[in-house]
Amino acid sequence: MKKNLYILPILFSILLFVQCTEEITDNSIIPNATCTDGIQNGDETGLDCGGSNCAPCEDAIGGIDFSGTYMQEDQVGRPAVSIVYITPGLRDAYNTTIPSELTANFQQDMQANLLLHHPAYSTNILGQDATAFSTLLSKDVLWVGQSGITTFYDGTNILTGRRLQDDVMDFHLLLLYGGADVNNPLNDGTNGQPLLIRDGVSENDKPFLANFPYLASPF
Amino acid sequence: MMNKTKLTFAIAFLGMLITAPFLLAGDHFDAPAVSGTSSDLSSFYAFEGANTNNLVLVANLQGLLPSGVPTQIAQFDEDVLVEFNIDTTGDLIEDLVIQATKRGDTMYFFGPVVPISTGLQSEIATFATQSKVAISSGTTDAEAIVATNNGMQFFAGARDDAFFFDLNRFNAIVSGEVTGFNEVGEDTFAGTNTLSIVVELPKSMLGTGAIGINPNAPTTPIYSIWVETKRKQ
């Protein structure tokens, strides 16, 4: 009889273990995943840590303090948009306006600066008038293709990313000063026109690497 | 004829040249609040990796650093959070972020992860996938320290500034001193460095992207990506 009393808790433990095993394999039946149940469940990223409810898992960061609130000071989407198209006194505001509100707040300023830079602007190689072009510029994020060639402009593909070797300033200048015909651009230094569609610097001063981290070593 | 904006640029640039050459040299061309500071972004790149299943994100800070400076005085700032923002749906609101910030001699990374909040204010998502890499201080490719974690690669440290442009000539055009570029220009950024943060990650971590975003590539799924710096309050 005494022996049987020992067996009961053992049987109970086995039953509990089986139940827990089922819970692990089927999260849907857990009524309450907690941060103290000894199981990695819910959206925990480790055993009873991480996820939206538990304390952070500290194995990788070793208790280092990452707490606090961080406020925006600068942002970059496409290269050189701010310098060319935003009035200097508005650039701090530009850097602290979320992208979804840039068009509403800065498209008109961009269009005005576009026309100040190039009063004769009519259209660009993308077929955009000043309003359409400045609207594109004001959606100042870098579009990056999930597939295909990722380039700012390679002569064929347009605004599908930005590679290190892309001559982004020449593309900016072409859109601003080159007119509609890519094969017969304006402001190319011929026919008495100034050279404004390229700066004469077409590559970096140091070769990039074929593999990670891709950027050339420092001087 | 010099127009009003060009005149404004000319005065601004002349003023900077005369009174604060370091400011002009310390920034590609940005705004007063961040120019020459530890949160000053100089360039952002995003491109397909050597492994075409991957995407590479590059944030450069504190551009136009002269040779030798990055390991001496220019350093990443523990109070600055560098945040890659990825909009996968095309509404210009970030759906995922990758956060990077320095502690000690190490750059720590969190994500990609759905941000705690979108917009101008951030907290670090310590519950997300955590990665780290020792900040490189050497000047050779062999000394570049690369860490891998969870299919991603990480680098932080000084690199050659990848940006190239005849900025001095551009300034001269804007100020009306000259009328155009030269056929052979001079790279204002030659021989200068930036502080770089590089992340390579599988595209699959970012979902499929959205089609119909780029009118020049209407059927290509697009991620809309930008990088921000944020300072601890």
Side-chain angles (χ1 to χ4, degrees), chain A residues 128-185:
Chain A
Q128 295 171 318
D129 63 16
T131 301
F133 183 27
S134 55
T135 300
L136 168 71
L137 290 165
S138 69
K139 298 180 190 304
D140 191 7
V141 297
L142 196 62
W143 290 334
V144 184
Q146 190 270 344
S147 58
I149 294 171
T150 48
T151 179
F152 205 63
Y153 179 63
D154 65 357
T156 305
N157 301 285
I158 298 168
L159 300 176
T160 58
R162 182 186 179 188
R163 300 174 300 181
L164 299 174
Q165 70 268 34
D166 289 339
D167 195 340
V168 296
M169 294 312 295
D170 273 14
F171 189 49
H172 264 305
L173 295 168
L174 180 64
L175 291 176
L176 175 57
Y177 292 111
D181 186 356
V182 71
N183 296 313
N184 188 26

Coordinates of all heavy atoms in Angstrom, one line a residue, chain A residues 128-185:
Chain A
Q128 N 7.9 63.5 -67.2 CA 7.2 64.2 -66.1 C 7.4 65.7 -66.3 O 8.4 66.3 -66.5 CB 7.9 63.8 -64.8 CG 7.7 62.3 -64.5 CD 8.5 61.9 -63.3 OE1 9.7 62.3 -63.2 NE2 8.0 61.1 -62.4
D129 N 6.2 66.4 -66.1 CA 6.3 67.9 -66.0 C 6.8 68.2 -64.6 O 7.1 67.3 -63.8 CB 4.9 68.5 -66.3 CG 3.8 68.1 -65.3 OD1 4.1 67.6 -64.2 OD2 2.6 68.3 -65.7
A130 N 6.9 69.5 -64.3 CA 7.5 70.0 -63.0 C 6.7 69.4 -61.8 O 7.3 69.1 -60.8 CB 7.6 71.5 -63.0
T131 N 5.4 69.4 -62.0 CA 4.6 68.9 -60.8 C 4.8 67.4 -60.6 O 5.0 67.0 -59.5 CB 3.1 69.2 -61.1 OG1 2.9 70.6 -61.3 CG2 2.2 68.7 -60.0
A132 N 4.8 66.7 -61.7 CA 4.9 65.2 -61.5 C 6.3 64.9 -61.0 O 6.5 64.0 -60.2 CB 4.7 64.5 -62.9
F133 N 7.3 65.6 -61.6 CA 8.7 65.3 -61.2 C 8.9 65.6 -59.7 O 9.5 64.8 -58.9 CB 9.7 66.1 -62.1 CG 11.1 65.8 -61.8 CD1 11.6 64.6 -61.3 CD2 12.1 66.8 -62.1 CE1 12.9 64.4 -61.0 CE2 13.4 66.6 -61.9 CZ 13.8 65.3 -61.3
S134 N 8.4 66.8 -59.3 CA 8.6 67.2 -57.9 C 7.8 66.3 -56.9 O 8.2 66.0 -55.8 CB 8.3 68.6 -57.6 OG 7.0 68.9 -58.1
T135 N 6.7 65.8 -57.4 CA 5.9 64.8 -56.6 C 6.7 63.5 -56.4 O 6.7 63.0 -55.3 CB 4.6 64.6 -57.2 OG1 3.9 65.8 -57.3 CG2 3.7 63.6 -56.4
L136 N 7.3 63.0 -57.5 CA 8.2 61.8 -57.4 C 9.3 62.1 -56.4 O 9.5 61.3 -55.5 CB 8.7 61.5 -58.7 CG 9.9 60.4 -58.7 CD1 9.3 59.0 -58.4 CD2 10.6 60.4 -60.0
L137 N 10.0 63.2 -56.5 CA 11.1 63.5 -55.6 C 10.6 63.6 -54.1 O 11.4 63.2 -53.2 CB 11.7 64.9 -56.0 CG 12.5 64.9 -57.3 CD1 12.7 66.3 -57.7 CD2 13.8 64.1 -57.2
S138 N 9.4 64.1 -53.9 CA 9.0 64.3 -52.5 C 8.6 63.0 -51.9 O 8.4 62.9 -50.6 CB 7.8 65.2 -52.5 OG 6.7 64.6 -53.1
K139 N 8.4 61.9 -52.6 CA 8.2 60.6 -52.0 C 9.6 60.0 -51.8 O 10.1 59.1 -52.5 CB 7.4 59.7 -52.9 CG 6.0 60.2 -53.1 CD 5.2 59.3 -54.0 CE 3.8 59.9 -54.5 NZ 3.0 60.4 -53.3
D140 N 10.3 60.6 -50.8 CA 11.8 60.5 -50.8 C 12.2 59.2 -50.0 O 12.7 59.3 -48.9 CB 12.4 61.7 -50.1 CG 13.9 61.7 -50.2 OD1 14.4 60.8 -50.9 OD2 14.5 62.6 -49.6
V141 N 11.9 58.1 -50.6 CA 12.4 56.8 -50.1 C 13.0 56.1 -51.3 O 12.8 56.4 -52.4 CB 11.2 55.9 -49.6 CG1 10.5 56.6 -48.4 CG2 10.2 55.6 -50.7
L142 N 13.9 55.2 -51.0 CA 14.6 54.4 -52.0 C 13.7 53.2 -52.4 O 13.5 52.4 -51.5 CB 16.0 54.0 -51.6 CG 17.0 53.6 -52.6 CD1 17.3 54.7 -53.6 CD2 18.3 53.1 -52.0
W143 N 13.3 53.2 -53.7 CA 12.6 52.0 -54.1 C 13.7 50.9 -54.4 O 14.6 51.2 -55.1 CB 11.8 52.3 -55.4 CG 10.7 53.2 -55.2 CD1 9.9 53.3 -54.1 CD2 10.1 54.0 -56.2 NE1 8.9 54.2 -54.3 CE2 9.0 54.6 -55.6 CE3 10.3 54.2 -57.6 CZ2 8.1 55.5 -56.3 CZ3 9.5 55.1 -58.3 CH2 8.5 55.8 -57.7
V144 N 13.4 49.7 -53.9 CA 14.4 48.6 -54.1 C 13.6 47.4 -54.6 O 12.7 46.9 -53.9 CB 15.1 48.3 -52.7 CG1 16.1 47.2 -52.9 CG2 15.7 49.5 -52.1
G145 N 14.0 46.9 -55.7 CA 13.4 45.8 -56.3 C 13.6 44.5 -55.5 O 14.8 44.2 -55.2
Q146 N 12.6 43.7 -55.3 CA 12.7 42.4 -54.7 C 13.4 41.4 -55.6 O 14.0 40.5 -55.2 CB 11.3 41.9 -54.2 CG 11.4 40.7 -53.3 CD 11.3 39.4 -54.1 OE1 10.9 39.4 -55.2 NE2 11.6 38.3 -53.4
S147 N 13.2 41.7 -56.9 CA 13.8 40.9 -58.0 C 14.4 41.8 -59.0 O 14.0 43.0 -59.1 CB 12.8 39.9 -58.6 OG 11.7 40.7 -59.1
G148 N 15.2 41.3 -59.9 CA 15.8 42.1 -61.0 C 17.0 42.9 -60.5 O 17.4 42.9 -59.4
I149 N 17.5 43.7 -61.5 CA 18.6 44.6 -61.2 C 18.3 45.7 -60.2 O 17.3 46.4 -60.5 CB 19.2 45.1 -62.5 CG1 19.8 43.9 -63.3 CG2 20.3 46.1 -62.2 CD1 20.2 44.3 -64.7
T150 N 19.0 45.9 -59.2 CA 18.8 47.0 -58.3 C 19.8 48.1 -58.6 O 20.9 48.0 -58.3 CB 19.0 46.5 -56.8 OG1 20.3 45.8 -56.7 CG2 17.9 45.6 -56.3
T151 N 19.2 49.2 -59.2 CA 20.1 50.3 -59.6 C 19.3 51.6 -59.5 O 18.1 51.6 -59.8 CB 20.6 50.1 -61.0 OG1 21.4 51.2 -61.4 CG2 19.5 49.9 -62.0
F152 N 20.0 52.7 -59.3 CA 19.3 54.0 -59.3 C 19.0 54.3 -60.8 O 17.9 54.7 -61.1 CB 20.3 55.1 -58.8 CG 19.6 56.3 -58.2 CD1 18.7 56.2 -57.2 CD2 19.8 57.5 -58.8 CE1 18.0 57.3 -56.7 CE2 19.1 58.6 -58.3 CZ 18.2 58.5 -57.3
Y153 N 20.0 54.0 -61.7 CA 19.8 54.2 -63.1 C 21.0 53.6 -63.8 O 22.1 53.9 -63.5 CB 19.6 55.6 -63.5 CG 19.5 55.9 -65.0 CD1 18.3 55.4 -65.7 CD2 20.4 56.6 -65.7 CE1 18.2 55.6 -67.0 CE2 20.2 56.8 -67.1 CZ 19.1 56.3 -67.7 OH 18.9 56.6 -69.1
D154 N 20.8 52.6 -64.7 CA 21.9 52.0 -65.4 C 21.7 52.1 -66.9 O 22.3 51.4 -67.7 CB 22.0 50.5 -65.0 CG 20.8 49.7 -65.5 OD1 19.8 50.2 -66.0 OD2 20.8 48.4 -65.3
G155 N 20.9 53.1 -67.3 CA 20.6 53.3 -68.7 C 19.4 52.5 -69.2 O 18.8 52.9 -70.2
T156 N 19.0 51.5 -68.4 CA 17.8 50.7 -68.7 C 16.8 50.7 -67.6 O 15.6 51.1 -67.7 CB 18.1 49.3 -69.1 OG1 19.1 49.3 -70.2 CG2 16.9 48.5 -69.5
N157 N 17.3 50.2 -66.4 CA 16.5 50.1 -65.2 C 16.5 51.5 -64.5 O 17.5 52.1 -64.3 CB 16.9 49.0 -64.4 CG 16.9 47.7 -65.1 OD1 15.9 47.1 -65.3 ND2 18.1 47.2 -65.5
I158 N 15.3 51.8 -64.0 CA 15.2 53.2 -63.3 C 14.6 53.0 -61.9 O 13.5 52.5 -61.7 CB 14.2 54.0 -64.2 CG1 14.8 54.2 -65.6 CG2 13.9 55.4 -63.5 CD1 13.8 54.8 -66.6
L159 N 15.4 53.6 -61.0 CA 14.9 53.7 -59.6 C 14.5 52.3 -59.0 O 13.4 52.2 -58.4 CB 13.8 54.7 -59.4 CG 14.2 56.1 -59.8 CD1 13.0 57.1 -59.8 CD2 15.3 56.7 -59.0
T160 N 15.3 51.3 -59.1 CA 15.1 50.0 -58.5 C 16.1 49.7 -57.4 O 16.2 48.5 -57.1 CB 15.1 48.9 -59.6 OG1 16.4 48.9 -60.3 CG2 14.0 49.1 -60.7
G161 N 16.7 50.7 -56.9 CA 17.7 50.4 -55.8 C 18.8 51.5 -56.0 O 18.7 52.5 -56.7
R162 N 19.9 51.2 -55.3 CA 21.1 52.1 -55.4 C 22.3 51.2 -55.1 O 22.5 50.8 -54.0 CB 21.0 53.3 -54.5 CG 22.3 54.2 -54.7 CD 22.3 55.3 -53.7 NE 23.5 56.1 -53.9 CZ 23.9 57.1 -53.1 NH1 23.3 57.3 -52.0 NH2 25.1 57.7 -53.3
R163 N 23.0 50.9 -56.2 CA 24.3 50.2 -56.0 C 25.4 51.2 -55.7 O 25.3 52.4 -56.0 CB 24.6 49.4 -57.3 CG 23.6 48.4 -57.7 CD 23.9 47.8 -59.1 NE 24.0 48.8 -60.1 CZ 24.2 48.6 -61.4 NH1 24.5 47.3 -61.8 NH2 24.2 49.6 -62.3
L164 N 26.5 50.7 -55.2 CA 27.6 51.6 -54.9 C 28.2 52.3 -56.1 O 28.6 53.4 -56.1 CB 28.8 50.8 -54.2 CG 28.4 50.1 -52.9 CD1 29.6 49.2 -52.4 CD2 28.1 51.1 -51.8
Q165 N 28.2 51.6 -57.2 CA 28.8 52.1 -58.5 C 27.9 53.0 -59.3 O 28.3 53.6 -60.3 CB 29.3 51.0 -59.3 CG 28.2 50.1 -60.0 CD 27.8 48.9 -59.2 OE1 27.8 49.0 -58.0 NE2 27.5 47.8 -59.9
D166 N 26.6 53.1 -58.9 CA 25.7 53.9 -59.7 C 26.1 55.4 -59.6 O 26.3 56.0 -58.6 CB 24.2 53.8 -59.1 CG 23.7 52.4 -59.4 OD1 24.2 51.7 -60.3 OD2 22.7 52.0 -58.7
D167 N 26.1 56.0 -60.8 CA 26.4 57.4 -60.9 C 25.1 58.2 -60.7 O 24.5 58.7 -61.6 CB 27.0 57.8 -62.3 CG 27.7 59.1 -62.3 OD1 27.4 59.9 -61.4 OD2 28.5 59.3 -63.2
V168 N 24.8 58.3 -59.4 CA 23.5 58.9 -59.0 C 23.4 60.4 -59.3 O 22.3 60.9 -59.7 CB 23.1 58.6 -57.5 CG1 23.0 57.1 -57.3 CG2 24.2 59.2 -56.6
M169 N 24.5 61.1 -59.2 CA 24.4 62.5 -59.5 C 24.2 62.8 -61.0 O 23.5 63.8 -61.3 CB 25.7 63.2 -58.9 CG 25.8 63.2 -57.4 SD 24.3 63.6 -56.5 CE 24.1 65.3 -56.9
D170 N 24.8 62.0 -61.8 CA 24.6 62.2 -63.3 C 23.1 62.0 -63.6 O 22.5 62.7 -64.4 CB 25.4 61.2 -64.1 CG 26.8 61.8 -64.4 OD1 27.2 62.8 -63.8 OD2 27.5 61.3 -65.3
F171 N 22.4 61.0 -62.9 CA 21.0 60.8 -63.2 C 20.2 62.0 -62.7 O 19.3 62.4 -63.3 CB 20.6 59.5 -62.5 CG 19.2 59.1 -62.9 CD1 18.8 59.0 -64.3 CD2 18.2 58.7 -62.0 CE1 17.5 58.7 -64.6 CE2 17.0 58.3 -62.3 CZ 16.6 58.3 -63.6
H172 N 20.5 62.5 -61.5 CA 19.9 63.7 -61.0 C 20.0 64.8 -62.0 O 19.0 65.5 -62.3 CB 20.5 64.1 -59.7 CG 19.8 63.6 -58.5 ND1 18.5 63.8 -58.2 CD2 20.2 62.9 -57.4 CE1 18.1 63.3 -57.1 NE2 19.2 62.8 -56.5
L173 N 21.2 65.0 -62.5 CA 21.5 66.2 -63.4 C 20.7 65.9 -64.7 O 20.2 66.9 -65.3 CB 23.0 66.3 -63.6 CG 23.8 66.7 -62.4 CD1 25.3 66.5 -62.7 CD2 23.5 68.1 -62.0
L174 N 20.7 64.7 -65.2 CA 20.0 64.4 -66.4 C 18.5 64.7 -66.3 O 17.9 65.3 -67.2 CB 20.2 62.9 -66.8 CG 19.5 62.4 -68.1 CD1 20.1 63.2 -69.3 CD2 19.7 60.9 -68.3
L175 N 17.9 64.3 -65.2 CA 16.5 64.5 -65.0 C 16.2 66.0 -64.9 O 15.1 66.5 -65.3 CB 16.0 63.8 -63.7 CG 15.9 62.3 -63.7 CD1 15.5 61.7 -62.4 CD2 15.0 61.8 -64.8
L176 N 17.1 66.8 -64.3 CA 16.8 68.2 -64.0 C 17.1 69.0 -65.3 O 16.3 69.9 -65.6 CB 17.8 68.6 -62.9 CG 17.8 70.1 -62.5 CD1 16.4 70.6 -62.2 CD2 18.7 70.4 -61.4
Y177 N 18.2 68.7 -66.0 CA 18.6 69.6 -67.1 C 18.5 69.0 -68.5 O 18.7 69.7 -69.4 CB 20.1 70.0 -66.8 CG 20.3 70.9 -65.6 CD1 21.0 70.4 -64.5 CD2 19.9 72.2 -65.6 CE1 21.3 71.2 -63.4 CE2 20.2 73.0 -64.5 CZ 20.9 72.5 -63.4 OH 21.1 73.3 -62.3
G178 N 18.3 67.7 -68.6 CA 18.5 67.0 -69.8 C 17.3 67.0 -70.8 O 17.4 66.6 -71.9
G179 N 16.1 67.4 -70.4 CA 15.0 67.4 -71.2 C 14.4 66.0 -71.4 O 14.7 65.1 -70.7
A180 N 13.5 65.9 -72.4 CA 12.8 64.7 -72.6 C 13.5 63.6 -73.4 O 13.1 62.4 -73.2 CB 11.4 65.0 -73.3
D181 N 14.4 63.9 -74.2 CA 15.0 63.0 -75.1 C 16.3 62.5 -74.6 O 17.3 63.2 -74.7 CB 15.2 63.6 -76.5 CG 15.6 62.6 -77.6 OD1 15.9 61.4 -77.2 OD2 15.7 63.0 -78.8
V182 N 16.3 61.2 -74.1 CA 17.6 60.7 -73.6 C 18.7 60.5 -74.6 O 19.9 60.6 -74.3 CB 17.3 59.3 -72.9 CG1 16.9 58.2 -73.9 CG2 18.4 58.9 -72.0
N183 N 18.3 60.4 -75.9 CA 19.3 60.2 -76.9 C 19.8 61.5 -77.5 O 20.8 61.5 -78.2 CB 18.7 59.4 -78.1 CG 18.3 58.0 -77.6 OD1 19.1 57.3 -77.0 ND2 17.1 57.5 -78.0
N184 N 19.1 62.6 -77.2 CA 19.5 63.9 -77.6 C 19.3 64.9 -76.5 O 18.5 65.8 -76.6 CB 18.7 64.3 -78.9 CG 19.3 65.6 -79.5 OD1 20.4 65.9 -79.4 ND2 18.4 66.3 -80.2
P185 N 20.0 64.8 -75.4 CA 19.7 65.6 -74.2 C 20.1 67.0 -74.4 O 21.0 67.4 -75.1 CB 20.5 64.9 -73.1 CG 21.7 64.2 -73.8 CD 21.1 63.8 -75.2

